[in-house]
Amino acid sequence: MTVTWERALTECEALLDAAEAALDDGHPLAIAPFGSPEVEGTLPSELAGRARVCSARSEEVAQRLSDELERIRLELRRLPRMPRAASENRFEAQA
């Protein structure tokens, strides 16, 4: 299904707003994946500035997500390793 450039940019801006809010609130799991929409025709010149802003914002959000991922990895490495739980084998016999 093809969409207009106006709609594609509006959806992109909404996803970026949601991603930034999720990162700001500390809930990055709430971030929806972005898919490239099929758009009608070429980008109109009057929307070029808006598209550049979306592109720059997406790079900033991607960097923030990468930074958050690295912070989580470091935090997980700091956690003590838990020993494997011993399995309990029982054998009961009655005569």
Side-chain angles (χ1 to χ4, degrees), residues 22-33:
L23 284 165
D24 292 343
D25 293 343
H27 302 288
L29 290 178
I31 298 172

Side-chain angles (χ1 to χ4, degrees), residues 6-49:
E6 179 72 35
R7 182 170 174 187
L9 290 172
T10 298
E11 290 174 3
C12 180
E13 291 163 342
L15 285 171
L16 290 169
D17 290 343
E20 288 172 336
L23 284 165
D24 292 343
D25 293 343
H27 302 288
L29 290 178
I31 298 172
F34 179 77
S36 298
E38 291 186 33
V39 292
E40 299 172 350
T42 60
L43 178 68
S45 59
E46 64 270 11
L47 295 177

